[in-house]
Amino acid sequence: MSQKVEKPVLSGQRIKTRKRDEKEKYDPNGFRDALVQGLERAGGDLEAAYKFLDAAGSKLDYRRYGEVIFDVLIAGGLLLPGGSVSMDGETPKTNTCIFNASEEMESMHNFEQVFVKLMRRYKYLEKMFEEEMKKVLVYIKGFEPLQRIKLARMTALWICNGCVPPSVLLVLVNEHLLKENVALEFVLEVFVTMKNERGVTSLVTALKRGQLEGRLLEFLPLNRRSEESLATMFGARGLGEVVRLHRAQASQEARRELTRVLDEELNDEKPVRDIIPDLRDMAQKNDIPDHEVVAIIWQCVMARGEWNKKEELLAEQAAKHLRQYTPLLAAFAHSAKAEIALLTKVQEYCYENMNFMRAFSKLVVMMYKSEVVSEEVILRWYRDPNSSKGKHMFLDQMKKFVEWLQSAEEESESGEDED
């Protein structure tokens, strides 16, 4: 029978933890020193600098210190809040960085390639870079004017090549950056560079992608935040197309707001006589022409109807529903252009809502009798409809009424001749 061997008792002894099990201390200075030394050995040769960065990824912890890599490549060292570079450590700064490069676009393109290749090689750096840029852009007031220009040009290239989204620029909408036009000058440099590099179409596409076209006024200081200032400042930098895009977007938003207000007032059953001045004020304030307002009114009014499924009853029901809103339509359909726009809207609505196909002429005649649309405009529409939707069917529906209008017109003319 074999004797049981007792295990030795560990009394008072501390088990030594293996090194790899220990949580490494976060040491951005040490990481930066290693990075700076390698970049300095490249002696300003960006190809050699990239080769070092590529190889160093297997030795240095890029996942943990990605932010430090970008700080060093942009500013030459660790960025402190406010935009200054930390001078602690053995080798705190390198000259191989954007802030030390020439602001000429050739130099900027060379640096662009370092960033693009590095992020292709280490894909996880892409998300880190977007977060890094949100931080760096908040610091721009602490950078020298020429450094801001270089960073703006690089930001334009990074937006163009997809390294960062255009929306990253919204971090500049910050009170301390809006003062003294710091944020505005930066985005203007970004936009001008994008236009010069990729053309105005690419710039416009990027602004839409980042949903910036309707928010450009936010980059202006509060005391100068007006459409006139925006047009002047952007126009002076050759960015008239961006101003036009902004106005188009602002106009769309104004139309959406007018639609919302009208829907709300109709739901609240506000009297038509009180709705008219509200719409008039909004339209004038936002430069929305009457022919567009009348189309919005038609859309909102018809959306309120609950229609009978029996086609033979629908025309009468729709005319009755619409009759209560004719003063609202008439208030904005007082030009030939607005009347034609309304007739076109009625035509397209009846075509797109099949049950209304036979209701078209009844609705038009009702609006004629209510003095919303005039005889002259109906005759003009009949000669040359603006829309081809259901054109032949609706012309056929209107034939007898138009013949009556024409005969009445001829009788009127002959009566005048006899006088």
Side-chain angles (χ1 to χ4, degrees), residues 60-74:
L60 300 177
D61 192 351
Y62 280 9
R63 285 184 186 276
R64 196 172 188 200
Y65 296 103
E67 184 182 317
V68 179
I69 300 171
F70 296 126
D71 270 6
V72 171
L73 289 175
I74 291 169

Side-chain angles (χ1 to χ4, degrees), residues 143-419:
F143 302 152
E144 295 169 10
L146 189 55
Q147 290 174 340
R148 289 202 287 265
I149 288 172
K150 293 172 187 177
L151 183 61
R153 290 178 180 177
M154 284 305 306
T155 302
L157 296 180
W158 289 327
I159 291 172
C160 287
N161 65 32
C163 283
V164 289
S167 56
V168 77
L169 295 172
L170 290 172
V171 301
L172 296 171
V173 180
N174 192 304
E175 191 178 344
H176 84 283
L177 297 177
L178 296 175
K179 292 176 183 175
E180 302 166 33
N181 287 343
V182 173
L184 178 64
E185 288 299 330
F186 190 89
V187 295
L188 286 174
E189 187 65 38
V190 171
F191 295 163
V192 168
T193 304
M194 289 175 73
K195 180 184 174 182
N196 292 342
E197 288 293 311
R198 297 288 181 91
V200 71
T201 304
S202 182
L203 170 59
V204 165
T205 301
L207 291 177
K208 287 180 178 177
R209 194 169 72 246
Q211 297 182 325
L212 297 174
E213 74 270 43
R215 302 187 63 177
L216 298 179
L217 279 173
E218 294 177 37
F219 293 107
L220 273 64
L222 283 169
N223 60 348
R224 299 183 67 187
R225 197 168 286 180
S226 69
E227 293 290 341
E228 294 74 20
S229 294
L230 183 81
T232 301
M233 292 171 181
F234 278 67
R237 298 293 297 271
L239 295 168
E241 301 92 346
V242 174
V243 176
R244 286 191 284 278
L245 175 70
H246 164 76
R247 284 179 177 161
Q249 176 64 20
S251 181
Q252 277 185 357
E253 287 175 7
R255 284 160 179 72
R256 282 196 288 270
E257 180 62 11
L258 188 143
T259 304
R260 188 193 65 76
V261 167
L262 177 55
D263 275 335
E264 209 170 77
E265 294 190 341
L266 291 173
N267 287 336
D268 292 343
E269 297 183 357
K270 191 171 183 176
V272 165
R273 66 177 180 275
D274 296 332
I275 295 176
I276 292 169
D278 290 349
L279 294 192
R280 177 79 58 214
D281 288 347
M282 284 189 75
Q284 287 176 348
K285 181 183 173 186
N286 295 290
D287 293 324
I288 306 173
D290 284 352
H291 69 272
E292 292 187 14
V293 177
V294 84
I296 292 170
I297 294 170
W298 168 267
Q299 170 193 320
C300 292
V301 162
M302 293 307 283
R304 291 179 56 74
E306 292 180 9
W307 309 116
N308 198 305
K309 289 180 182 177
K310 292 182 179 177
E311 207 170 317
E312 64 272 17
L313 300 174
L314 186 64
E316 186 56 46
Q317 185 198 14
K320 185 180 177 183
H321 170 77
L322 202 55
R323 201 171 283 117
Q324 60 188 311
Y325 299 108
T326 51
L328 184 56
L329 288 164
F332 292 90
H334 53 67
S335 69
K337 188 173 183 178
E339 289 179 49
I340 285 287
L342 178 57
L343 283 177
T344 303
K345 206 74 182 166
V346 177
Q347 177 187 343
E348 290 176 344
Y349 181 89
C350 290
Y351 176 78
E352 288 161 5
N353 296 272
M354 296 299 285
N355 288 348
F356 282 82
M357 287 288 278
R358 297 184 187 281
F360 177 76
S361 58
K362 191 169 188 70
L363 295 179
V364 174
V365 171
M366 185 276 294
M367 288 195 291
Y368 168 74
K369 290 178 178 177
S370 304
E371 299 185 342
V372 177
V373 291
S374 63
E375 171 187 330
E376 295 81 6
V377 167
I378 291 173
L379 293 173
R380 190 202 293 185
W381 170 87
Y382 189 78
R383 286 192 301 271
D384 186 21
N386 274 11
S387 173
S388 61
K389 292 182 176 180
K391 173 180 170 181
H392 297 297
M393 183 175 182
F394 297 144
L395 288 176
D396 190 53
Q397 275 186 42
M398 291 293 293
K399 187 176 179 182
K400 284 185 180 178
F401 181 67
V402 166
E403 285 172 354
W404 177 81
L405 285 177
Q406 287 170 333
S407 63
E409 189 177 37
E410 286 164 10
E411 284 175 20
S412 173
E413 285 173 359
S414 66
E416 285 174 12
D417 290 342
E418 284 170 15
D419 291 344

